[in-house]
Amino acid sequence: MMNISRKAMLTFCLCLVLLLSAYPAVKVQASTQGTTAPAASQSKKIYVNVAVATLWKQPGGTRTMDKAVMSVPVNMEGWTGGMTLRDKYWLVGKAETEALYGQEVEILQTKGSWVQVAVKGQVTAKNPKGYPGWMPKSQVITQQTDAHSQALASVKTKTAYLYNPDKKTHFLEVSFNTRLPLVEQDGDWIQVFTPANQVKLVKKSEINIYENASAIPRPAKPADLVATGKQFLGLPYLWSGVSGFGFDCSGFTSSIYKYYGMTIPRDASEQAKQGTPISKNKLQPGDLLFFAYNNGKGKVHHVAMYAGNGMMLHSPNSARSVEIIPMATAPYKQEYAGARRYLK
C-alpha cells in the first residue's frame, strides 16, 4: 500500500472540501425499488402547465380556432379576440370551466390524448374531488410535492408576466389568482417555481405574498370585494371563464372570493344554495345576487355582486363585458331570485 504523509492527507482533504463547496447542494433521493409506496415527502401531484387550461364537456369535438387553447403554450388573447359573437355562443354547453397555471388537478380517466380531470378548489356537486372536465394530456405535468416551497405568490393584477432570469424576456403571461410557490425575493422581483419546477421571476408589484394558502386574509371590509372586481370592468365575457382573460358570471364571483382565500361553489345555481340568505333591504357590498327564469321563480341562471347604492357588478353574457348597472335594469329586475352573503 502506498504511504501517504499526514501533511499530504490534510492537503487532499482541504482541496476536496473546497471543490464540493463550489457546487450547489443536490437532493439525493433514496431508491424506492422494492417498496410498496414512495415516502410521503416524495408523493406526486399533477399540475396545470399552461397559463389557462380550458376544460371541455367531452374529449374532442373542438373547432379549428380552438387549437389556440389546445396547444402548449396556449394563446388566450388570440383565441378570445378572434371569436365572433356566434363563436362565443358555441361554447355554451361545450366548455365547462378553466384551470389556472400551477393549479392542482386529479386525473379521473384517460382517453387517447385527453384526460378528464377534477380541478382542486373548484367546488361542485358534480364531483367531490373538484370540477370535472376534459383537457389535452399535454397540458398537465406531474411533480414531486416536496419540489415546492410552502410560501406562495398570488397574482393580484388582471394578468402578469413571468420573466426569464434575465428579467428582460417574457416567459409566460398568467392570470389573476395564479398561485405559484415562492423561492425568494430579489428586490423588486420575486422568484417563483413553475409547474415544471423551473425558477422564473414576476414583478413584486403584481403579486401578493403569503406564508401559505391558509394565511390569505379575508376582506378588511365588504366593499373590498367590489373594489377588486372593478379592475375587470370592460373585460369581455367568456363562457367557462375563471381568468383575467375572460369570466363567465359565476367564474367572476367565485374568483373574486377566491382572491380573498374564500372557496365558494363554482356555479351560480350552487352559489344560490349556500351562504346566508339576505333580504333586499339589507344588502351590503359583496353580497351575491341571483336571477332565475320564470320571473325569478325558476332555475337560477345568473349571479352578480351587489356594488352598493342599488347597483350590481357582474359579467353578463357573451355579447357584453364586465359592467356595473342598476339592479332595476330589465330583465334582471323581473328575474331577481334573492341574495346570499358569504362574508360574515
Side-chain angles (χ1 to χ4, degrees), residues 32 51 150 257 311:
T32 59
Q150 190 177 31
Y257 273 87
M311 307 294 283

Side-chain angles (χ1 to χ4, degrees), residues 278-285 287-289 306 327 336 338-341:
I278 298 295
S279 60
K280 188 180 287 189
N281 62 348
K282 293 184 178 180
L283 289 171
Q284 70 179 21
D287 289 343
L288 298 187
L289 313 173
Y306 186 62
M327 288 177 61
Y336 182 74
R340 296 273 169 159
R341 179 171 297 164

Side-chain angles (χ1 to χ4, degrees), residues 41-296:
S41 63
Q42 296 178 0
S43 60
K44 295 180 179 181
K45 291 186 178 181
I46 299 168
Y47 300 96
V48 173
N49 196 31
V50 289
V52 180
T54 302
L55 274 63
W56 305 86
K57 193 175 187 68
Q58 300 292 338
T62 55
R63 304 160 295 180
T64 300
M65 69 175 61
D66 300 324
K67 290 181 179 179
V69 289
M70 305 296 291
S71 57
V72 181
V74 297
N75 180 2
M76 287 298 296
E77 291 181 340
W79 185 56
T80 58
M83 282 193 284
T84 65
L85 181 57
R86 183 176 180 179
D87 294 332
K88 292 179 180 180
Y89 278 127
W90 180 91
L91 293 170
V92 177
K94 296 182 178 68
E96 293 282 75
T97 189
E98 292 176 337
L100 304 182
Y101 191 54
Q103 193 162 13
E104 185 185 352
V105 299
E106 180 173 336
I107 294 180
L108 303 176
Q109 58 178 313
T110 301
K111 188 174 183 179
S113 61
W114 290 78
V115 287
Q116 185 188 40
V117 303
V119 184
K120 300 292 184 72
Q122 287 192 20
V123 176
T124 176
K126 295 180 178 182
N127 193 306
K129 295 179 179 181
Y131 212 100
W134 291 87
M135 62 183 289
K137 188 189 301 183
S138 60
Q139 294 184 343
V140 297
I141 191 168
T142 302
Q143 279 292 346
Q144 302 284 2
T145 59
D146 60 357
H148 295 162
S149 63
Q150 190 177 31
L152 59 88
S154 178
V155 175
K156 65 182 180 181
T157 50
K158 185 185 299 184
T159 65
Y161 277 105
L162 298 184
Y163 287 78
N164 289 309
D166 62 10
K167 300 180 182 178
K168 296 178 181 178
T169 56
H170 293 160
F171 170 70
L172 189 67
E173 185 179 14
V174 296
S175 166
F176 170 78
N177 262 350
T178 296
R179 298 175 181 175
L180 296 172
L182 184 145
V183 179
E184 65 179 19
Q185 298 189 44
D186 180 14
D188 294 332
W189 296 86
I190 302 297
Q191 293 182 10
V192 294
F193 276 124
T194 69
N197 208 27
Q198 298 174 318
V199 175
K200 301 298 178 182
L201 296 101
V202 61
K203 292 179 180 178
K204 186 177 180 180
S205 60
E206 297 179 333
I207 56 97
N208 292 320
I209 297 174
Y210 303 111
E211 183 179 349
N212 51 54
S214 299
I216 299 175
R218 294 196 170 197
K221 55 185 183 298
D224 289 347
L225 290 159
V226 178
T228 298
K230 282 183 176 179
Q231 72 173 300
F232 300 104
L233 288 172
L235 181 70
Y237 175 100
L238 178 66
W239 176 269
S240 79
V242 299
S243 81
F245 297 98
F247 293 102
D248 63 21
C249 67
S250 56
F252 179 65
T253 52
S254 61
S255 294
I256 299 304
Y257 273 87
K258 180 180 179 180
Y259 176 76
Y260 288 99
M262 301 176 66
T263 300
I264 70 173
R266 166 65 177 86
D267 290 337
S269 58
E270 294 181 33
Q271 291 176 8
K273 297 175 183 177
Q274 297 190 24
T276 303
I278 298 295
S279 60
K280 188 180 287 189
N281 62 348
K282 293 184 178 180
L283 289 171
Q284 70 179 21
D287 289 343
L288 298 187
L289 313 173
F290 298 95
F291 305 89
Y293 299 113
N294 192 24
N295 291 323

